[in-house]
Amino acid sequence: MPEGDTVWRATKHLHQALAGQVLEQTDFRVPSLATTDLSGQTVVEVVPRGKHLLMRLSGGVTIHSHLRMDGSWHLYRPGEKWRGGPAFQIRAVLVTAEWIAVGYRLPVLEVVPTAAEDSVVGHLGPDLLSPDFDRAQAIANLAAQPDRTISEALLDQRNLAGIGNIYRTEVCFLLGLRPWRPVGSVDLEAVVDLSRRLLKANLRNAAQVTTGVDRPGKRTWVCARAGHPCRRCGTTIQTAPIGEPPRERISYWCPTCQPEV
């Protein structure tokens, strides 16, 4: 599932291309929106909310989408070949005079009144990439369940929005936390601050980098490195699922750098 910085970059590109543009044609290829026509409306802005994309239109409605595992938005010039996947995977086509935005494999796609956006994103905690990020609220949300593992708490978008499996794994490593450490035994201020710092540091990168080395195979400390030696101590990186089905996620850790407590 994309991290918050990936969604931030996607919304930035969509906003730069579409804001101020009039939709000349819209084609929604999901049953619930099959008869929806938003042509004639102007794109006011495209903004992220955690891992959600909100495209606000002049008619007082918002196109809400979520990429989840493999959804994506692509921008094309009129006449340019579409390359995001086969036609049957297209869920939305938004046409302006200058651009065509095509949404592929979008598992969540709906149109809601802009005034009622809370109906789709109101459950989210403070957005780590928002300029008005509420640090105190994010910390309080995490602290509310002290017996929960820090891994599960960080991935719960109701606590703080935008962090995914890569950053969750890397934050735990960098702070020396075994993924199963209970929230009540963790310095939550350090966790929240580092999470935000890592996401913000990668806003303009094509890939998530936590080591400071932006080269294939060198970008992360432990994430997706099971069986490889730890970059710090040489211990073999371990992996295991954490969380309850169907929401479990694969976690990676170094047994030496992230000791049991």
Side-chain angles (χ1 to χ4, degrees):
M1 187 174 293
E3 307 277 339
D5 56 345
T6 301
V7 175
W8 186 93
R9 287 192 296 275
T11 55
K12 179 184 177 183
H13 293 151
L14 288 168
H15 178 82
Q16 289 176 333
L18 301 178
Q21 298 283 313
V22 176
L23 295 175
E24 296 184 345
Q25 178 185 346
T26 63
D27 179 11
F28 296 102
R29 303 180 185 180
V30 296
S32 62
L33 299 177
T35 61
T36 300
D37 181 6
L38 301 178
S39 59
Q41 297 198 35
T42 300
V43 178
V44 177
E45 61 181 347
V46 186
V47 297
R49 181 72 173 84
K51 299 182 182 183
H52 299 250
L53 292 88
L54 302 170
M55 185 180 298
R56 295 169 179 153
L57 307 181
S58 59
V61 296
T62 295
I63 301 172
H64 166 237
S65 60
H66 194 299
L67 306 182
R68 288 193 181 165
M69 293 302 293
D70 61 350
S72 62
W73 281 95
H74 293 250
L75 286 165
Y76 303 107
R77 292 292 190 180
E80 184 180 356
K81 182 179 179 180
W82 299 0
R83 301 176 300 277
F88 72 85
Q89 294 182 343
I90 295 173
R91 299 293 177 264
V93 180
L94 310 175
V95 181
T96 73
E98 298 181 15
W99 291 97
I100 302 174
V102 184
Y104 289 88
R105 301 172 298 277
L106 300 174
V108 176
L109 180 65
E110 55 192 331
V111 176
V112 300
T114 301
E117 285 179 357
D118 274 358
S119 66
V120 292
V121 295
H123 64 287
L124 298 174
D127 186 340
L128 283 159
L129 291 176
S130 173
D132 57 356
F133 173 66
D134 191 336
R135 178 177 181 267
Q137 186 60 59
I139 293 170
N141 290 347
L142 291 169
Q145 294 181 288
D147 296 330
R148 197 177 192 188
T149 69
I150 186 60
S151 286
E152 293 172 283
L154 281 175
L155 283 185
D156 190 336
Q157 302 298 295
R158 296 170 297 183
N159 289 332
L160 66 174
I163 191 169
N165 200 47
I166 296 174
Y167 288 120
R168 176 276 301 261
T169 299
E170 296 293 283
V171 165
C172 286
F173 172 80
L174 289 167
L175 295 178
L177 304 173
R178 185 72 60 106
W180 288 268
R181 279 278 295 274
V183 166
S185 67
V186 170
D187 180 351
L188 295 179
E189 292 188 357
V191 166
V192 169
D193 291 345
L194 180 57
S195 298
R196 188 165 194 236
R197 188 160 66 249
L198 288 178
L199 264 76
K200 291 182 71 175
N202 283 297
L203 285 181
R204 290 168 176 80
N205 292 337
Q208 282 81 25
V209 179
T210 60
T211 61
V213 181
D214 190 4
R215 296 202 303 271
K218 303 289 185 180
R219 295 180 175 120
T220 63
W221 292 97
V222 292
C223 189
R225 298 193 64 245
H228 293 275
C230 174
R231 300 191 195 280
R232 281 183 174 170
C233 71
T235 303
T236 300
I237 300 300
Q238 303 296 308
T239 185
I242 188 169
E244 297 297 324
R247 298 183 178 277
E248 72 270 27
R249 293 289 185 271
I250 296 297
S251 195
Y252 304 85
W253 76 97
C254 170
T256 299
C257 295
Q258 297 167 264
E260 294 187 57
V261 176

